[in-house]
Amino acid sequence: MGSIDAPTFTQNGSDATVAADGPPPPVPDSAIMTMEKTLEADSSRKRRFGILPLEVGTRVMCRWRDGKYHPVKVIERRKMHIGGVNDYEYYVHYTEFNRRLDEWVKLEQLDLESVEAVVDEKVEDKVTSLKMTRHQKRKIDETHVEGHEELDAASLREHEEFTKVKNIATIELGRYEIETWYFSPFPPEYNDSLKLYFCEFCLNFMKRKEQLQRHMRKCDLKHPPGDEIYRSGTLSMFEVDGKKNKVYGQNLCYLAKLFLDHKTLYYDVDLFLFYVLCECDDRGCHMVGYFSKEKHSEESYNLACILTLPPYQRKGYGKFLIAFSYELSKKEGKVGTPERPLSDLGLLSYRGYWTRVLLDILKKHKGNISIKELSDMTAIKAEDILTTLQSLELIQYRKGQHVICADPKVLDRHLKAAGRGGLEVDVSKLIWTPYKEQG
């Protein structure tokens, strides 16, 4: 029986014989790896574009200004005016940080490989709570409501929904361009303005730079529209009556709300006095920060709202404003306390102030001293003194009463931890009459 010759193939000019029913030639390993990578890339690309646009509530990693990736949650999204179906911007909350860092980001800042599916918040909370100890849960709950203790759960959700997206991204105030931190309820005609321009003296705000330039040619103010009650070196403090200067008071509240999350906006500014701190030069008095104070407070509040503008923070001005509010209380012959809730930064500043003032007295004082005597000397409310000393573990309960334990070494250690006291208020430069005694 005859044999059938195997077919002959020619490769690169040389003869090569392969059996008709034999295995195909082996594929090189490098080709296999390339094919696998291509398939994987195609699959990844399909998956990435299949989840776009991202849903509100999606958790993903996002490249921040430090160049590193941080976990975020998508709070809102908006379609860009140009581009295809996937061209959205996303408003994200960096879950490791305060809400003041929330911002709009482009798609290229997001790592789509890290996308987690949208989880029902109620289910997620339930699952999380099962895994947490009671202590951990209490800490989380306290964090969620910090600064909003006056709101019930429904009101808190409504507040967060209404204020979740910053409406103004930046402002120009004097020589500074400042990134905002929070939502502020400006009138509806400013809803489409990412940037606002403020007159630094009357605080009127405009949408365009040209409007501000025209306004500055007409505005004859070079300082806040009130009485100068303090001048020491280049620092000046003005008292502005909300009733006499209603528009200025309202504009100041709009401005402050951009940097304060927890406060509601005062529409009725008639009931408040505003104490505006300025740095003065030959061009005028430039606002650094302020605090507001009710004209008549039944709860002994000596301060309602406090803010140091971002360009002037970490320079001791916040501590100065707090100290100034207590000097006014001393002039009134009253004890005072800040209105609650305090912001996170406000609470830190107050704890530092109370610690320094009280420990300075305890260091210098010989013999016993009561909380009532400390309150009379400092105008700090007794409850604030007690909680401050308790937090420093300087209070002991003996024979049915609280006793202050003032070991000099312990006092020195706490004073060092409290840091510097900031700018001093020179009381001799304060010329002021309490409101009830004014005309």
Side-chain angles (χ1 to χ4, degrees), residues 34-263:
T34 303
M35 287 167 63
E36 285 177 349
K37 283 181 180 175
T38 304
L39 289 169
E40 193 178 312
D42 286 345
S43 171
S44 175
R45 196 177 297 114
K46 283 177 184 174
R47 190 182 81 82
R48 286 205 309 269
F49 286 100
I51 58 176
L52 294 177
L54 297 178
E55 296 291 335
V56 170
T58 301
R59 295 177 187 273
V60 63
M61 301 297 285
C62 178
R63 191 176 68 253
W64 193 47
R65 59 192 70 175
D66 62 359
K68 297 175 183 174
Y69 281 88
H70 297 268
V72 300
K73 180 180 176 183
V74 176
I75 302 297
E76 191 57 273
R77 68 184 189 187
R78 66 185 178 197
K79 192 92 165 63
M80 295 168 70
H81 295 303
I82 53 172
V85 69
N86 294 324
D87 287 323
Y88 279 79
E89 285 182 308
Y90 298 93
Y91 193 77
V92 299
H93 167 60
Y94 294 89
T95 54
E96 301 168 317
F97 305 127
N98 185 282
R99 253 178 23 123
R100 69 175 67 104
L101 296 177
D102 294 3
E103 63 179 348
W104 287 103
V105 299
K106 300 279 196 299
L107 183 63
E108 56 263 28
Q109 289 173 253
L110 303 174
D111 175 14
L112 297 182
E113 296 291 345
S114 66
V115 167
E116 294 178 25
V118 181
V119 180
D120 186 311
E121 295 289 331
K122 291 176 184 172
V123 173
E124 185 183 37
D125 289 345
K126 197 171 182 181
V127 171
T128 307
S129 66
L130 290 172
K131 294 179 182 176
M132 285 193 296
T133 65
R134 276 184 299 179
H135 174 68
Q136 288 172 321
K137 190 169 191 306
R138 187 172 67 249
K139 284 190 74 174
I140 296 263
D141 290 342
E142 285 167 1
T143 305
H144 282 174
V145 300
E146 184 179 348
H148 297 286
E149 290 84 352
E150 81 284 13
L151 300 178
D152 58 30
S155 301
L156 185 62
R157 279 196 299 274
E158 187 179 347
H159 165 80
E160 288 179 346
E161 180 63 28
F162 184 62
T163 65
K164 67 182 181 180
V165 178
K166 275 182 253 186
N167 48 341
I168 309 296
T170 56
I171 62 164
E172 188 173 298
L173 181 72
R175 60 197 177 96
Y176 293 106
E177 182 174 271
I178 310 170
E179 287 186 17
T180 63
W181 292 358
Y182 303 111
F183 172 91
S184 181
F186 283 89
E189 58 266 32
Y190 295 90
N191 284 349
D192 59 346
S193 306
L194 290 178
K195 183 175 180 180
L196 289 182
Y197 299 85
F198 279 79
C199 169
E200 63 173 329
F201 301 117
C202 72
L203 297 187
N204 278 340
F205 45 88
M206 292 132 248
K207 291 183 178 183
R208 297 194 310 278
K209 180 86 170 180
E210 312 85 77
Q211 291 175 304
L212 176 65
Q213 289 166 339
R214 282 200 302 273
H215 168 85
M216 295 305 290
R217 287 195 286 270
K218 297 182 211 168
C219 186
D220 54 4
L221 275 180
K222 292 298 173 191
H223 58 74
D227 299 324
E228 188 178 32
I229 61 171
Y230 180 88
R231 172 70 74 100
S232 179
T234 58
L235 277 190
S236 200
M237 182 75 85
F238 290 84
E239 180 185 68
V240 181
D241 187 328
K243 187 171 185 179
K244 294 177 185 173
N245 299 281
K246 193 186 288 279
V247 174
Y248 181 90
Q250 289 174 338
N251 290 345
L252 180 55
C253 290
Y254 281 126
L255 171 64
K257 188 67 187 69
L258 291 168
F259 305 100
L260 296 170
D261 184 29
H262 66 295
K263 290 291 184 185

Side-chain angles (χ1 to χ4, degrees), residues 310-436:
Y312 299 98
Q313 289 178 0
R314 301 183 183 278
K315 296 182 180 180
Y317 289 120
K319 296 166 186 171
F320 180 90
L321 289 169
I322 291 171
F324 201 95
S325 72
Y326 279 103
E327 293 303 334
L328 298 188
S329 292
K330 290 175 189 174
K331 285 257 186 185
E332 290 175 308
K334 297 178 178 177
V335 295
T337 190
E339 183 181 320
R340 269 57 167 189
L342 286 166
S343 68
D344 51 353
L345 297 177
L347 184 59
L348 270 176
S349 298
Y350 266 96
R351 279 182 179 158
Y353 173 79
W354 292 329
T355 298
R356 282 186 300 274
V357 169
L358 296 172
L359 297 193
D360 274 336
I361 293 172
L362 293 176
K363 269 195 76 175
K364 295 170 187 170
H365 192 80
K366 305 298 180 190
N368 293 331
I369 188 169
S370 69
I371 286 175
K372 171 73 167 63
E373 288 170 320
L374 281 171
S375 182
D376 292 340
M377 292 167 72
T378 61
I380 300 172
K381 202 171 182 181
E383 289 90 330
D384 295 332
I385 294 174
L386 187 60
T387 55
T388 300
L389 295 179
Q390 282 175 333
S391 71
L392 298 170
E393 298 182 347
L394 296 176
I395 293 278
Q396 290 185 6
Y397 198 67
R398 292 181 190 164
K399 296 179 181 177
Q401 61 180 0
H402 291 104
V403 179
I404 300 169
C405 304
D407 180 281
K409 289 180 182 176
V410 175
L411 296 183
D412 285 337
R413 193 173 73 242
H414 284 312
L415 269 171
K416 188 176 180 183
R420 294 181 300 111
L423 303 164
E424 294 286 329
V425 179
D426 185 346
V427 185
S428 67
K429 306 287 177 66
L430 174 59
I431 303 167
W432 181 72
T433 308
Y435 180 77
K436 65 178 179 182

